[in-house]
Amino acid sequence: MRIDKIEFENFRNFKEHGEIKCSTDGKVTIIYGKNGDGKTTLHQLFQWVFYGQVNFNKTTTNRLYNLQYENECSFGDVFQVMGCIDFEHGGEKYSLKRTYTYKKGLNDSEKIAEDLSLQHMDSDYNWRRIEKPKEIIEKLLPSGLSDYFFFDGESMIADLRVKGRDSAAKLRKALYSMFDLDILESALSHIGRTDLKTTALGKLYLSKGNLTTGSGSDIAAVKTNIESAQVRLERYAEDLKQAEMKKEECKELILQVSEQIGGYKSKAHYEHQRKTLKEQREAFLKSATDAQAHFGDDVIDMFPQLLISKAVMDAKNKIHLKIEESKLPEGVSKRLINHLLAKSTTECVCGHLLGENEKAHIRAYLDLLPPKSYSNLYHEFTKTANSWGKGYNVERIEDYIRTVLNNNELASKCDSRIRELDEEEKKSPDIEDLIVARQKAENEIIELDKRIRELGTEIRKFEIYRDKQMKNFDELTKGNVASQKVIEKMSVLEEVAVYFRNKLNEESIEYSKRLQDNIQSLIDCMLTSKRRVTVSPEFSVRVTDSFNDESKSEGQFAVVSFAYIGGI
């Protein structure tokens, strides 16, 4: 098969209509891109178009439509998801198209229709629609190989690590289909066993009762008992199969739900966070309120100091202002001036004589001195202020203001985070429903285990009863010529079954050995350390070191996965 073109619209990450053309000349097409560009989405598109199902990894939802496109739709709107792949196979051209139609709901959109179309180009270059497209697709490209079309490290590593047995079963089925080994397997199933009434051997075995003469009523009764037991066993086997399948579905559901729960926050978690934030906000607001109260109390206590400090500063400013403006010589004081202006003083302290002119000049300095009230006010306020202790504490007052502002800001941040939590919770699924679903699945497994045990008991009981009736049937039909001919036919059919079984085993061993050699060759090229590859006839793969240890690093898992796909 060679892919010619891939078209898509509204599929997961691909919102707009897109088209990718590939080379069909036998060369390899490599699709590369950054994380989030849509490589995995393209892989999922291929799986969906061909098989109508997608293998999602743990980090993705199971919605096929583009979420942004759906979000832009109104309630009740109808929209489609489309994928189309044109390809060549065996020299013939095909076009496969799958479409899902959705209707926008309140929460999720509901799929209301789907269409699958496979067209084939005839010799006149006209496209003709093919009936039963699923059967043709399965022949062209078996679904069992769908996991190996692309190197998808995300799923392959997990598949080999966790689901090795399931992976081997899918691979076995796919290879059997490719190499026509499923025909041998189908033939063996058709021949079957004598204890199964629907198989060729089973029908031949029971036909002995129709040909035998004598003791007819006894033979007929035993035959009826055998058939009744077989019917019961078939029904029980089907019920057991359904119960085991249902149990596996429940286990898978529990695993998926547990992963979802691990990725989401519960309402209780949101409420706990909200409660914590509210408590923090209240604490911040209380701290701000307390600081405001202390600020008011201290300001009231400091009010006299504030007034005194203000008056003292005013007095100081006036005195210094007066001194600065007059430029009074340093060291001149009122006492000195009064001494020099006295009538008895005729000589200055510097030794010069003091006449009227000199005394008039000294007398002018009196006008430069502050009034007595300023000086008194200053001294009185200073004295009073000292009696109030330390007085006005600027740092303390400013600290209150900073505390109020900081706590109000922190409380505001808490409010903002609470609003963000509310928005997150609106977008988050109801985790309580997930918990209930998981508990329901766990309870169902308990009931299914009980049912499986009961069915196992019934099956063993009816197998014993059937075997006893078959022994009686053999005794009653023994020696009859017609019965002997049936036995001879059964013997021939059993020989045919042995031949088919041997042929199937030989082919399985051959192909598993070839797969083993291929994987071994690739691993030898990619790993410096020695690893031994073994592939069983059931296509179960083991890669071990010299100590028979299967443990691997993440890098080695990737190498083994790549070698596994390359080997196939």
Side-chain angles (χ1 to χ4, degrees):
M1 175 182 288
R2 293 176 178 175
I3 299 173
D4 178 46
K5 184 176 68 174
I6 301 175
E7 285 186 79
F8 47 82
E9 186 170 350
N10 197 23
F11 181 82
R12 294 187 59 74
N13 290 357
F14 303 145
K15 180 183 177 185
E16 308 297 336
H17 180 274
E19 183 178 296
I20 297 176
K21 281 189 169 291
C22 303
S23 171
T24 57
D25 58 5
K27 296 180 180 179
V28 175
T29 298
I30 298 176
I31 297 173
Y32 65 95
K34 298 178 182 178
N35 289 339
D37 281 353
K39 302 185 297 299
T40 301
T41 301
L42 186 63
H43 183 186
Q44 294 167 342
L45 174 71
F46 190 92
Q47 290 179 323
W48 175 65
V49 173
F50 266 82
Y51 307 110
Q53 59 185 17
V54 176
N55 295 328
F56 292 101
N57 59 39
K58 297 178 180 179
T59 62
T60 56
T61 66
N62 58 2
R63 300 184 184 95
L64 294 177
Y65 48 79
N66 183 271
L67 296 179
Q68 183 181 350
Y69 182 89
E70 184 221 21
N71 187 55
E72 294 170 357
C73 293
S74 301
F75 174 73
D77 284 355
V78 174
F79 60 92
Q80 289 186 329
V81 177
M82 183 277 292
C84 182
I85 299 177
D86 294 345
F87 61 93
E88 296 179 9
H89 186 83
E92 302 289 334
K93 290 191 174 183
Y94 297 87
S95 181
L96 180 64
K97 182 178 181 180
R98 190 181 294 272
T99 305
Y100 280 3
T101 303
Y102 290 89
K103 185 175 183 180
K104 176 71 177 288
L106 290 174
N107 297 317
D108 290 331
S109 294
E110 176 189 6
K111 185 176 74 174
I112 58 175
E114 62 178 276
D115 179 66
L116 176 65
S117 168
L118 177 62
Q119 298 188 79
H120 171 252
M121 183 178 286
D122 62 19
S123 57
D124 295 326
Y125 302 100
N126 296 316
W127 287 105
R128 303 291 184 185
R129 185 158 179 157
I130 297 176
E131 298 296 325
K132 299 181 179 179
K134 291 182 180 179
E135 294 181 10
I136 303 300
I137 293 169
E138 195 62 33
K139 288 184 178 294
L140 296 177
L141 200 59
S143 58
L145 288 181
S146 63
D147 288 341
Y148 315 111
F149 296 152
F150 298 87
F151 176 63
D152 179 11
E154 294 175 3
S155 59
M156 276 301 302
I157 292 175
D159 189 47
L160 287 176
R161 178 186 290 168
V162 181
K163 303 177 181 177
R165 185 177 299 176
D166 294 340
S167 179
K170 288 188 292 184
L171 178 60
R172 177 181 178 275
K173 179 181 178 182
L175 294 181
Y176 272 31
S177 175
M178 287 179 63
F179 302 132
D180 291 334
L181 300 183
D182 55 340
I183 297 175
L184 295 175
E185 199 169 40
S186 178
L188 284 169
S189 177
H190 178 72
I191 294 171
R193 308 193 308 259
T194 56
D195 56 1
L196 299 174
K197 70 182 184 69
T198 56
T199 64
L201 278 174
K203 290 176 181 178
L204 272 174
Y205 178 78
L206 289 175
S207 70
K208 292 191 300 179
N210 302 331
L211 305 172
T212 305
T213 58
S215 304
S217 59
D218 292 340
I219 292 174
V222 173
K223 179 185 174 184
T224 300
N225 292 339
I226 293 172
E227 290 176 328
S228 297
Q230 288 174 334
V231 169
R232 283 285 192 95
L233 285 169
E234 284 180 2
R235 191 172 76 238
Y236 287 148
E238 181 61 27
D239 290 347
L240 181 61
K241 180 182 176 181
Q242 294 296 326
E244 289 174 341
M245 287 176 58
K246 186 64 177 175
K247 180 181 175 181
E248 289 302 315
E249 290 176 4
C250 289
K251 289 168 68 176
E252 184 66 24
L253 175 64
I254 290 170
L255 180 62
Q256 293 176 358
V257 169
S258 296
E259 289 172 353
Q260 283 183 282
I261 291 173
Y264 294 122
K265 298 174 183 176
S266 66
K267 289 187 180 297
H269 179 84
Y270 280 111
E271 194 56 40
H272 175 72
Q273 280 194 307
R274 190 180 290 105
K275 181 181 177 183
T276 302
L277 286 167
K278 285 182 177 179
E279 289 174 351
Q280 290 176 348
R281 181 190 63 183
E282 294 302 320
F284 291 138
L285 291 176
K286 185 177 184 303
S287 180
T289 303
D290 290 345
Q292 284 179 317
H294 290 309
F295 172 82
D297 291 342
D298 282 3
V299 167
I300 291 173
D301 290 341
M302 293 179 184
F303 191 70
Q305 293 97 316
L306 288 173
L307 293 178
I308 293 169
S309 298
K310 181 67 168 59
V312 169
M313 292 304 297
D314 288 346
K316 280 185 178 179
N317 290 337
K318 288 179 180 179
I319 293 170
H320 287 296
L321 179 64
K322 202 71 175 175
I323 293 174
E324 285 297 319
E325 287 177 349
S326 60
K327 293 185 170 45
L328 190 69
E330 186 178 355
V332 177
S333 65
K334 188 174 183 180
R335 182 180 177 187
L336 175 60
I337 292 173
N338 289 333
H339 169 72
L340 294 175
L341 294 177
K343 290 182 178 180
S344 58
T345 304
T346 59
E347 187 177 322
C348 182
V349 291
C350 62
H352 288 87
L353 294 174
L354 290 176
E356 281 300 320
N357 290 334
E358 286 79 11
K359 287 192 176 186
H361 183 70
I362 292 172
R363 195 175 290 109
Y365 282 123
L366 285 175
D367 297 331
L368 297 179
L369 287 173
K372 183 178 184 298
S373 59
Y374 286 166
S375 179
N376 289 342
L377 181 65
Y378 172 74
H379 290 297
E380 288 171 5
F381 277 145
T382 302
K383 181 180 178 182
T384 306
N386 289 334
S387 68
W388 280 85
K390 294 181 179 179
Y392 174 49
N393 189 330
V394 177
E395 291 184 1
R396 188 173 173 185
I397 293 296
E398 290 179 350
D399 185 60
Y400 286 136
I401 295 172
R402 282 192 295 268
T403 300
V404 171
L405 294 175
N406 291 339
N407 280 278
N408 282 334
E409 183 180 355
L410 291 171
S412 178
K413 288 181 178 179
C414 287
D415 283 330
S416 177
R417 180 57 187 145
I418 289 171
R419 287 192 294 271
E420 290 174 3
L421 281 175
D422 290 340
E423 290 301 316
E424 285 180 21
E425 187 177 6
K426 288 178 184 177
K427 298 176 183 178
S428 179
D430 192 347
I431 198 170
E432 278 71 19
D433 289 346
L434 294 175
I435 294 172
V436 170
R438 182 173 64 182
Q439 185 62 53
K440 183 179 178 182
E442 290 172 346
N443 293 337
E444 191 168 358
I445 285 178
I446 294 173
E447 293 298 320
L448 286 168
D449 281 336
K450 180 181 177 183
R451 177 62 176 160
I452 289 170
R453 288 193 298 270
E454 291 173 349
L455 288 170
T457 301
E458 290 297 313
I459 287 172
R460 286 190 294 273
K461 184 171 70 175
F462 274 91
E463 283 176 343
I464 294 171
Y465 176 75
R466 179 202 60 194
D467 293 344
K468 182 178 179 182
Q469 294 300 315
M470 289 179 69
K471 186 176 181 180
N472 293 338
F473 189 67
D474 291 337
E475 287 294 327
L476 291 170
T477 57
K478 185 173 62 174
N480 184 280
V481 176
S483 297
Q484 192 60 39
K485 289 182 178 179
V486 171
I487 292 171
E488 288 174 1
K489 290 180 182 180
M490 290 169 56
S491 177
V492 172
L493 203 54
E494 286 170 346
E495 288 183 16
V496 173
V498 169
Y499 171 80
F500 284 159
R501 192 172 294 109
N502 290 338
K503 179 69 173 174
L504 184 62
N505 289 339
E506 289 170 5
E507 296 283 335
S508 297
I509 291 171
E510 178 187 349
Y511 288 119
S512 61
K513 179 65 169 62
R514 286 170 59 181
L515 177 59
Q516 176 178 303
D517 292 343
N518 286 349
I519 298 175
Q520 184 72 66
S521 176
L522 289 168
I523 285 183
D524 289 344
C525 291
M526 292 188 287
L527 288 180
T528 54
S529 57
K530 294 297 181 181
R531 290 291 186 273
R532 180 171 178 268
V533 179
T534 54
V535 181
S536 72
E538 290 76 32
F539 298 97
S540 177
V541 181
R542 292 184 76 238
V543 181
T544 57
D545 60 15
S546 55
F547 300 99
N548 202 36
D549 184 10
E550 287 190 85
S551 61
K552 308 171 188 68
S553 66
E554 290 295 329
Q556 288 171 344
F557 261 117
V559 168
V560 170
S561 301
F562 190 83
Y564 189 41
I565 298 169
I568 291 168

